Amino acid sequence: MEPIYHIPTSKTPKKPDCTRDDRLRIQTLYYEACFTQDQICLQTGFTLSQVRYAFAHRFTLQKSKTGRKLLLNTPQRKRFIEIVELKLFELRSRKKATYDALQETNHFCYYKT
């Protein structure tokens, strides 16, 4: 009795996916032990495309930065510190702060990116 439905199957079995440790092992064999790509394929059992993928990509996935974004970037932060130091110097020397310097200080206090 033959089955009613025919489910196609691939003729070649799928090779296992490379893990982070496998990619690290492939890169170590290539750079430290001076294996060729073909020798690595024979030794590890991975396909040539998997070996080439291990060379082209990092073996660890890079996470994106998390957390709150900075309100001031580095040049703005340095300028703000200069203004605050100027204000402190003027207060210590009993001089009045200029209107322009106060405006710059207010600009940095309420600035958001």
Side-chain angles (χ1 to χ4, degrees), residues 43-68:
Q43 182 72 26
T44 60
F46 293 116
T47 63
L48 188 60
S49 62
Q50 287 173 322
V51 172
R52 288 182 180 156
Y53 179 87
F55 295 137
H57 297 85
R58 294 180 179 180
F59 48 84
T60 57
L61 297 175
Q62 303 300 312
K63 291 184 178 180
S64 61
K65 292 184 179 180
T66 60
R68 185 176 177 183

Side-chain angles (χ1 to χ4, degrees), residues 2 4 25 28-29 32 37-38 57 61:
E2 286 189 36
I4 299 173
R25 191 173 75 187
T28 304
L29 286 174
E32 301 295 326
Q37 292 181 4
D38 294 328
H57 297 85
L61 297 175

Side-chain angles (χ1 to χ4, degrees), residues 13 15 18 39 46 63 72 76-78 90 94 100 102 105-106 113:
K15 296 283 184 177
C18 285
Q39 289 172 333
F46 293 116
K63 291 184 178 180
L72 302 175
Q76 291 172 333
R77 194 171 28 241
K78 287 182 179 179
E90 288 176 352
R94 305 274 189 224
D100 294 334
L102 285 173
T105 305
N106 288 338
T113 55

